[in-house]
Amino acid sequence: MLPLLSSVLLLFLTLSQNVSGASNQIIQKRSSNQVYDQIFFSNVGFNGYYSPVTSLGDNDTCSCEIGDNVYFSGTNSPLNEPVSVHFRGPLILHKFAYYTSDNFIINEDNSSDWTRDAYFDAASSAAENVTFLTKAGDSSACLGKALTYADSDGISSATSNTLLGNGTLITSDQEYVIFSNISCSKSGFDNDCGVYRDGIPAYHGYYGTTKMFLFEFEMPTETQKNSSSFSYYDMPAIWLLNANIPRTSQYPGSVNCSCWASGCGEFDIFEVMNGTQDRKSTRLNSSHTVVSRMPSSA
Ligand SMILES: *[C@@H]1O[C@H](CO)[C@@H](O)[C@H](O)[C@H]1NC(C)=O
Ligand SMILES: *[C@@H]1O[C@H](CO)[C@@H](O)[C@H](O)[C@H]1NC(C)=O
Ligand SMILES: *[C@@H]1O[C@H](CO)[C@@H](O)[C@H](O)[C@H]1NC(C)=O
Ligand SMILES: *[C@@H]1O[C@H](CO)[C@@H](O)[C@H](O)[C@H]1NC(C)=O
Ligand SMILES: *[C@@H]1O[C@H](CO)[C@@H](O)[C@H](O)[C@H]1NC(C)=O
Ligand SMILES: *[C@@H]1O[C@H](CO)[C@@H](O)[C@H](O)[C@H]1NC(C)=O
Ligand SMILES: *[C@@H]1O[C@H](CO)[C@@H](O)[C@H](O)[C@H]1NC(C)=O
Ligand SMILES: *[C@@H]1O[C@H](CO)[C@@H](O)[C@H](O)[C@H]1NC(C)=O
Ligand SMILES: *[C@@H]1O[C@H](CO)[C@@H](O)[C@H](O)[C@H]1NC(C)=O
């Protein structure tokens, strides 16, 4: 891994308003040590639709059912829907925060009126409105591993909401997710969180058309040498998903078992891409784009 990822990075993501066709640019790249101060994303959001899950299949048949198309449009859609925040190692998360604004307009300094609605600081064990979950639950051939509360190591199962430990390093392939601390009512198509997998701790994602996520983290180079044993060796990432996705299945055995493939929303904020120089990407895919504004992967 290039040295740029071994330093502490602070990344600001502002899903800006009134734009379409995602693009991003790096601001203030310091050439000497390749540390990025900021990555700026604009033109997020498009019009399209996805297929919501109405029932989840069993382990064997994996026949998940989908409902009528959900159409989305307007600013930042479909990421104006609630999102969960995902982390893959090698990574150490020091701080995380989520802000919303009702009236922020990009490039107008006087329009920002941000409220902090979630916060995590590993060094001081401070946390507001965060729930750390990980895939340490039951294994299903159809739905993959179920979510559980994450223990302080980020990857083991805990019995209740537990804070990530100070300085916790997750390694290649290891992942955890942050949701809000607002519990979902029971699984059901017409309920607040839609259909979700049996037995998981189910929480709402982070709401808001205009939201800002702040991260302070490290992505140290993987030290394990058995690279071929991993799916994502030395490829750390931080990304957003429509919160419906992980509550059903993040890596399903059938496309109908989550709304991911039909395009309910993923945003790859910061991801190490093998063989690419800048090691960042955006992906906001829908296989059902109504207006043809499909962003290209960076
Ligand atoms: C906000 O700033 C813009 C320029 O960026 C200016 O045109 C506008 O009048 C200001 N609005 C208020 C309410 O101060
Ligand atoms: C968290 O880790 C940092 C770096 O190792 C250390 O300086 C700090 O004292 C730790 N905080 C706590 C509460 O242990
Ligand atoms: C959720 O977090 C908020 C902010 O820290 C706190 O006031 C509230 O009590 C928490 N709710 C639950 C159910 O933990
Ligand atoms: C479901 O599938 C997983 C993975 O193939 C397997 O380990 C598990 O035993 C199965 N569970 C049931 C109840 O069949
Ligand atoms: C926690 O996050 C949820 C989801 O965005 C939000 O609705 C709620 O207001 C937040 N809670 C606090 C105390 O800010
Ligand atoms: C890679 O090797 C380490 C020992 O160096 C071992 O602990 C680990 O389980 C291996 N990882 C995989 C995915 O096989
Ligand atoms: C997904 O659901 C649609 C609509 O019910 C169905 O036509 C399609 O065959 C399903 N796909 C899979 C892979 O099950
Ligand atoms: C990453 O790139 C190297 C060198 O091009 C290649 O050998 C390796 O297979 C690639 N790994 C993945 C996961 O694509
Ligand atoms: C995402 O969009 C690209 C470009 O249109 C396409 O090649 C790719 O197959 C899409 N991926 C998914 C999972 O829909």
Side-chain angles (χ1 to χ4, degrees):
M1 186 177 301
L2 295 176
L4 74 98
L5 295 167
S6 56
S7 302
V8 173
L9 302 173
L10 186 61
L11 183 136
F12 298 85
L13 169 65
T14 303
L15 299 179
S16 58
Q17 297 201 329
N18 302 325
V19 290
S20 63
S23 65
N24 63 8
Q25 71 187 100
I26 288 165
I27 294 182
Q28 293 177 339
K29 178 178 175 180
R30 292 191 217 131
S31 58
S32 56
N33 60 3
Q34 292 189 287
V35 169
Y36 298 127
D37 285 340
Q38 191 180 83
I39 300 175
F40 182 83
F41 298 82
S42 62
N43 295 341
V44 175
F46 60 101
N47 302 337
Y49 62 89
Y50 64 84
S51 306
V53 178
T54 54
S55 77
L56 287 166
D58 62 29
N59 213 6
D60 300 326
T61 62
C62 203
S63 55
C64 299
E65 286 166 21
I66 55 175
D68 292 343
N69 296 332
V70 173
Y71 288 85
F72 54 81
S73 62
T75 302
N76 295 329
S77 64
L79 295 163
N80 56 345
E81 296 195 10
V83 296
S84 46
V85 187
H86 295 249
F87 300 84
R88 185 172 65 222
L91 180 141
I92 300 170
L93 179 64
H94 293 291
K95 291 183 184 174
F96 163 77
Y98 149 72
Y99 289 73
T100 53
S101 172
D102 290 333
N103 62 356
F104 175 75
I105 299 170
I106 201 154
N107 294 332
E108 284 197 23
D109 290 344
N110 58 4
S111 66
S112 59
D113 178 15
W114 294 94
T115 307
R116 193 178 78 190
D117 294 323
Y119 181 63
F120 168 68
D121 175 20
S124 63
S125 298
E128 293 165 10
N129 203 11
V130 295
T131 306
F132 285 89
L133 302 184
T134 194
K135 287 171 287 177
D138 292 342
S139 184
S140 153
C142 177
L143 304 175
K145 285 204 151 201
L147 288 173
T148 62
Y149 290 109
D151 210 338
S152 59
D153 64 1
I155 53 161
S156 308
S157 166
T159 53
S160 61
N161 194 348
T162 304
L163 283 189
L164 187 71
N166 187 23
T168 297
L169 170 69
I170 54 169
T171 68
S172 294
D173 282 359
Q174 297 182 334
E175 295 183 11
Y176 53 76
V177 197
I178 301 180
F179 285 81
S180 80
N181 72 354
I182 301 177
S183 296
C184 295
S185 62
K186 71 179 167 58
S187 169
F189 182 58
D190 291 324
N191 293 348
D192 53 352
C193 293
V195 168
Y196 59 81
R197 187 166 174 178
D198 282 348
I200 64 164
Y203 286 86
H204 284 250
Y206 291 113
Y207 281 70
T209 297
T210 301
K211 42 203 170 205
M212 174 164 63
F213 294 99
L214 304 180
F215 303 95
E216 187 180 319
F217 62 98
E218 294 175 62
M219 289 177 167
T221 301
E222 180 58 75
T223 55
Q224 300 176 87
K225 299 297 182 205
N226 43 347
S227 60
S228 61
S229 310
F230 296 86
S231 303
Y232 297 97
Y233 181 77
D234 214 7
M235 294 167 72
I238 297 176
W239 71 106
L240 305 176
L241 291 178
N242 185 310
N244 289 313
I245 296 170
R247 285 192 306 253
T248 51
S249 177
Q250 203 178 325
Y251 302 108
S254 165
V255 290
N256 288 347
C257 298
S258 103
C259 57
W260 182 81
S262 61
C264 62
E266 165 168 354
F267 192 94
D268 295 343
I269 302 168
F270 194 96
E271 179 177 28
V272 171
M273 307 286 283
N274 190 34
T276 65
Q277 195 132 41
D278 277 345
R279 292 169 170 257
K280 46 84 188 170
S281 73
T282 61
R283 183 170 63 190
L284 183 58
N285 246 21
S286 175
S287 38
H288 300 130
T289 307
V290 170
V291 181
S292 181
R293 292 167 175 166
M294 184 68 78
S296 58
S297 290

